[in-house]
Amino acid sequence: MSFETLNLNELLTRALSAAGYNEPTEVQASAIPAALAGKDLMVSSRTGSGKTASFMLPALTRILAQREQAAAERKAAGPAAGGPRGPQPFTNATRGPRVLVLAPTRELAMQVAKAASDYGRFVPGLRVATVVGGVPYGAQLAALRGPLDILIATPGRLIDHLGSGKCQLGNVEMLVLDEADRMLDMGFIDDIRLIVDATPKKRQTAMYSATFSGNVGRLAQDLLRDPLRIEASSQTESHADIEQRLHWADDFEHKNALLDHILTERSVEQAVVFTSTQRDADWLADRLHDMGHSVASLHGGMPQGRRTRVLQGLRSKHLRVLVATDVAARGIDVPSISHVINYGLPMKEEDYVHRIGRTGRAGRTGLAVTLAERRDSGMIHRIQRYTTQRIPAATIEGLEPKRPEPPKPFDRPARPGGKSFGPRPHGKPFKPAGKTFSKAGPRPAR
Ligand code: AMP
């Protein structure tokens, strides 16, 4: 299938060609025609599947159509009605956005905003604003005061603006909930319902979520009217472009030695190393910095300005290694990330899928390496059950584990919560009890 068959406006297909896209991805091919026909959507699609364009292109189509209609109306009404110099296309300013996208994190919101600007680059005077937490209110207020086409927001900050009457959503024609499951995990359910109540009942709604079970399913039932259900690729489908490997570490020192070895491999163009906590991320970034890596940490406890600078550093390749937590890493879309390394395991098995999706992007291949100690075996087991794939165990010459690989508990039911096997609880110091670790310690022998 080609983009031509989707009947998109020429201003959009031009932007897609400029972005180097030859054909729609699976989710785009399914979602775009339905969205253009005005249908509500309920979409599960894996990260990196091109889902952003699958709602942004229909959103931009809506904006273009509205402008063309307004221009035609002005023309029909003649110069007297069209302002001092007759018809003026693309100036039909309305208060409040026509399209509202809700996203769980600042990073994802910024990523969606970038996609809106990229795909809408030839749409004259396109007005896109983001409203996210952790940044000053001033610029957001100014953007909300002016005419607006697309607003991309995290629920918490949008609620602030709604509460103060600074944002009005009465013109919303299309509402998108991106990563809805994650927004609910983060406790945004009441905020989302308040926001939805502020939009017109007659609107198009698209929900994107890894799962539609439990609360997300109930929310979908409440918000969507006769939706088209799209499962572009199930969450458990393999990431064909991503090779996965599992290294068993005997202990903390062994794990660090494995990490150090992998990071010095020439094949590492750029790597994202995941930790379980913010504290671990800072600690590990310090340690890698002391070892001479160009590295920075990225987590939700950092001010937005710094987070943006870190991401710019990654994009511009000033940074080779990023040490990140799950929440902060959502939405990182840097094609040159060749490696994802799980240094601390995720709290939830679906986060594993999101993590490894940071590599193997935009048609490239990637390597996802998980470093696990024996106590992580429960989480490894749950991840494998979730993805329905075994992560192949691997070793590095000279750094083989001394202890045998833990037994594979495939037939045991998953432990609810999994606290005793999962990653370290938040806020716990990283060092194992009774051991000291020298930050500037010598590199392990290889
Ligand atoms: P997303 O799943 O929206 O985060 O997109 C993942 C990546 O795929 C981004 O780098 C997009 O720029 C890229 N992408 C989206 N659609 C296409 C397409 N049709 N062809 C090639 N790359 C695409």
Side-chain angles (χ1 to χ4, degrees):
M1 192 194 241
S2 71
F3 277 111
E4 274 72 61
T5 55
L6 294 177
N7 278 327
L8 292 166
N9 188 297
E10 189 268 329
L11 295 174
L12 302 180
T13 46
R14 225 196 302 161
L16 296 173
S17 302
Y21 300 178
N22 300 320
E23 54 182 28
T25 64
E26 196 184 345
V27 65
Q28 290 162 7
S30 314
I32 291 173
L36 290 178
K39 281 213 59 95
D40 280 5
L41 302 178
M42 191 171 164
V43 186
S44 333
S45 79
R46 65 184 170 87
T47 174
S49 59
K51 66 185 165 80
T52 317
S54 78
F55 61 78
M56 197 48 82
L57 293 170
L60 290 163
T61 302
R62 219 174 235 289
I63 287 155
L64 278 166
Q66 186 278 328
R67 288 188 183 184
E68 279 162 13
Q69 187 191 341
E73 280 169 10
R74 268 196 306 274
K75 198 169 176 186
R85 299 242 181 275
Q88 294 177 355
F90 307 125
T91 55
N92 183 34
T94 51
R95 298 276 148 181
R98 288 182 183 282
V99 176
L100 172 64
V101 182
L102 294 180
T105 62
R106 294 178 271 198
E107 274 72 23
L108 186 63
M110 304 312 274
Q111 201 71 53
V112 173
K114 186 173 177 301
S117 311
D118 285 350
Y119 304 141
R121 62 195 286 187
F122 299 116
V123 177
L126 180 70
R127 295 158 298 216
V128 179
T130 48
V131 155
V132 295
V135 294
Y137 280 77
Q140 293 181 358
L141 287 171
L144 290 173
R145 265 197 300 275
L148 203 53
D149 295 308
I150 302 176
L151 178 64
I152 298 142
T154 50
R157 179 60 72 91
L158 184 58
I159 283 289
D160 287 353
H161 288 300
L162 278 176
S164 63
K166 296 293 186 325
C167 179
Q168 81 111 330
L169 300 178
N171 286 319
V172 169
E173 295 169 16
M174 183 179 182
L175 169 68
V176 180
L177 280 77
D178 198 4
E179 299 198 0
D181 54 330
R182 175 48 63 116
M183 287 198 276
L184 297 202
D185 281 352
M186 292 168 78
F188 283 136
I189 181 72
D190 294 337
D191 289 353
I192 290 174
R193 288 191 184 276
L194 279 172
I195 291 165
V196 171
D197 285 347
T199 66
K201 285 223 164 11
K202 196 173 162 299
R203 54 156 206 272
Q204 183 179 19
T205 309
M207 245 174 110
Y208 288 72
S209 184
T211 155
F212 281 97
S213 60
N215 286 337
V216 199
R218 276 188 285 282
L219 186 67
Q221 222 164 22
D222 293 348
L223 302 193
L224 304 174
R225 271 167 314 159
D226 185 26
L228 179 72
R229 179 82 172 91
I230 295 173
E231 273 179 275
S233 294
S234 80
Q235 284 304 114
T236 55
E237 204 158 289
S238 78
H239 286 70
D241 299 330
I242 303 169
E243 184 189 337
Q244 301 174 59
R245 279 184 207 162
L246 173 62
H247 288 279
W248 287 107
D250 292 326
D251 52 24
F252 181 62
E253 273 77 20
H254 186 208
K255 185 161 86 165
N256 285 320
L258 290 165
L259 175 70
D260 298 343
H261 180 93
I262 293 163
L263 285 181
T264 46
E265 277 175 7
R266 287 172 63 108
S267 59
V268 177
E269 191 174 347
Q270 283 183 300
V272 180
V273 182
F274 282 97
T275 60
S276 305
T277 67
Q278 298 182 356
R279 202 166 154 167
D280 295 353
D282 285 336
W283 177 87
L284 185 59
D286 275 354
R287 175 177 171 273
L288 295 175
H289 180 262
D290 289 349
M291 294 175 70
H293 291 285
S294 49
V295 55
S297 59
L298 183 78
H299 57 68
M302 289 162 46
Q304 183 58 28
R306 202 163 128 215
R307 283 162 71 167
T308 307
R309 278 196 301 281
V310 167
L311 281 174
Q312 275 163 357
L314 193 69
R315 259 186 218 109
S316 63
K317 295 213 174 172
H318 285 96
L319 291 173
R320 183 164 166 271
V321 182
L322 182 72
V323 185
T325 57
D326 286 297
V327 165
R330 286 248 163 175
I332 294 178
D333 182 12
V334 180
S336 44
I337 295 171
S338 56
H339 286 61
V340 164
I341 303 170
N342 292 309
Y343 181 86
L345 288 197
M347 301 285 171
K348 296 176 141 206
E349 40 276 44
E350 56 260 40
D351 283 333
Y352 174 83
V353 176
H354 284 289
R355 286 179 174 196
I356 70 170
R358 300 303 116 206
T359 183
R361 292 177 87 78
R364 300 217 196 176
T365 55
L367 183 61
V369 183
T370 298
L371 307 177
E373 293 177 61
R374 286 180 83 85
R375 64 175 152 201
D376 298 322
S377 60
M379 182 43 94
I380 295 290
H381 165 54
R382 290 205 296 280
I383 290 169
Q384 296 189 129
R385 281 222 317 204
Y386 179 74
T387 60
T388 65
Q389 285 171 25
R390 202 179 278 276
I391 313 173
T395 53
I396 292 173
E397 209 185 321
L399 289 173
E400 293 88 352
K402 292 189 182 61
R403 299 168 68 184
E405 196 175 311
K408 300 178 179 81
F410 267 95
D411 303 324
R412 255 201 282 139
R415 297 165 68 100
K419 285 276 184 291
S420 54
F421 283 101
R424 295 170 187 83
H426 274 291
K428 270 254 180 103
F430 195 67
K431 289 180 197 170
K435 291 199 177 169
T436 49
F437 185 83
S438 157
K439 249 189 173 184
R443 279 187 191 217
R446 235 166 270 130

